[in-house]
Amino acid sequence: MTTLGIIQARMGSTRLPGKVLRPLGGRTVLDRVVNAARESGILDDLVVATTTLPDDDAVAAECERIGVACHRGPVDDVLTRFLGVLETRSADTVLRFTADCPLLDPELVARAFRVFEAAGVDYLTTSITRTLPRGLDVEVVRATVLKEIDRLAYDHHRTHVTSYIYSHADDFDVIGLTAQPDLSHLRLTLDTEDDWKLIEAVIDHFGDAPAAIRTVASWLDGQPELAALNAHVRQKELDQA
């Protein structure tokens, strides 16, 4: 099986514009996601999928600088961006990443992929029943299923790439993977300035190498003032993107 990682990235965040190229501990946020995905050791190929907007020329330039392939496609139809990548590469399995998750845990990525392989399902996600912090989620999907939903997905399902699959789980073989202990009270994704303050503190403490989520969570247990920084931030609903 050929395993392809696709990282969706763009400069045009509504709440924190340009976040994917912010410098964070000597790397850009995007570079950190690329590095963590590669550190998982399970990818045969990795591509950043950005948009054709002029603002995202900077994303393409960063991809060239850090040595990762870049594909450009529509702004809001992210599913079409992913399918555009698949038109240029042969892959059996796709792992979907987003460029606002600089604390991605490579060990968790590898574990989720192993479960997906062993189960032989169409789609696996860690976010159906959430036990992980936002920013640590892993999604694995068969390339054939992504191609199949191209004719089915509409509106916000095209923005979120995989949401049609888990919203129509009767039509697909879907697994929701959970992990213990339950760390869903933590928010480690990058959408706001308060998210940035927390993530920057984590990187300042742990340094360049990706840290295991249990290690990060254990440290944050002793830093309640940090965990409280972004506790008020609410994730957008699926149809708000």
Side-chain angles (χ1 to χ4, degrees):
M1 290 180 63
T2 303
T3 306
L4 169 67
I6 303 178
I7 303 171
Q8 61 188 73
R10 66 187 182 99
M11 295 292 282
S13 165
T14 54
R15 293 198 279 186
L16 198 62
K19 62 184 179 181
V20 301
L21 295 188
R22 279 196 173 196
L24 184 59
R27 297 178 185 265
T28 61
V29 170
L30 176 59
D31 190 6
R32 288 198 167 274
V33 179
V34 167
N35 184 55
R38 285 173 168 164
E39 284 289 315
S40 70
I42 53 90
L43 297 179
D44 298 307
D45 199 2
L46 182 63
V47 179
V48 173
T50 192
T51 85
T52 54
L53 291 177
D55 282 354
D56 288 320
D57 291 351
V59 174
E62 174 68 357
C63 290
E64 184 173 1
R65 186 187 73 83
I66 63 178
V68 64
C70 181
H71 173 83
R72 304 185 72 167
V75 177
D76 295 321
D77 189 347
V78 190
L79 176 58
T80 291
R81 260 192 260 166
F82 274 55
L83 294 173
V85 174
L86 288 173
E87 286 176 1
T88 67
R89 283 165 159 74
S90 175
D92 301 297
T93 304
V94 175
L95 280 89
R96 175 185 176 232
F97 304 103
T98 58
D100 53 4
C101 299
L103 298 179
L104 186 69
D105 181 349
E107 294 177 9
L108 190 61
V109 173
R111 188 182 313 151
F113 175 69
R114 289 195 298 269
V115 173
F116 174 86
E117 271 199 316
V121 294
D122 292 328
Y123 173 73
L124 177 148
T125 178
T126 58
S127 62
I128 290 177
T129 301
R130 181 174 297 283
T131 59
L132 292 170
R134 288 196 181 276
L136 275 294
D137 286 316
V138 184
E139 292 182 88
V140 193
V141 61
R142 297 199 180 280
T144 52
V145 172
L146 276 184
K147 293 173 183 177
E148 179 183 347
I149 65 170
D150 184 32
R151 62 183 177 81
L152 302 169
Y154 54 90
D155 296 339
H156 61 275
H157 292 308
R158 302 199 70 86
T159 301
H160 292 283
V161 183
T162 55
S163 62
Y164 184 89
I165 301 170
Y166 57 78
S167 298
H168 297 78
D170 288 344
D171 300 326
F172 302 95
D173 195 356
V174 174
I175 279 186
L177 181 65
T178 61
Q180 295 298 318
D182 186 346
L183 303 174
S184 58
H185 60 285
L186 293 173
R187 177 182 170 83
L188 299 176
T189 191
L190 180 58
D191 278 328
T192 69
E193 286 290 350
D194 287 333
D195 294 332
W196 175 260
K197 292 171 186 175
L198 172 55
I199 289 171
E200 191 173 40
V202 172
I203 296 297
D204 285 347
H205 179 77
F206 286 99
D208 187 60
I213 181 52
R214 287 192 181 191
T215 305
V216 173
S218 178
W219 179 72
L220 285 173
D221 279 345
Q223 315 287 329
E225 72 286 355
L226 288 179
L229 281 172
N230 64 351
H232 65 284
V233 179
R234 293 293 173 260
Q235 199 75 6
K236 291 181 179 180
E237 298 297 328
L238 278 179
D239 58 2
Q240 292 179 320

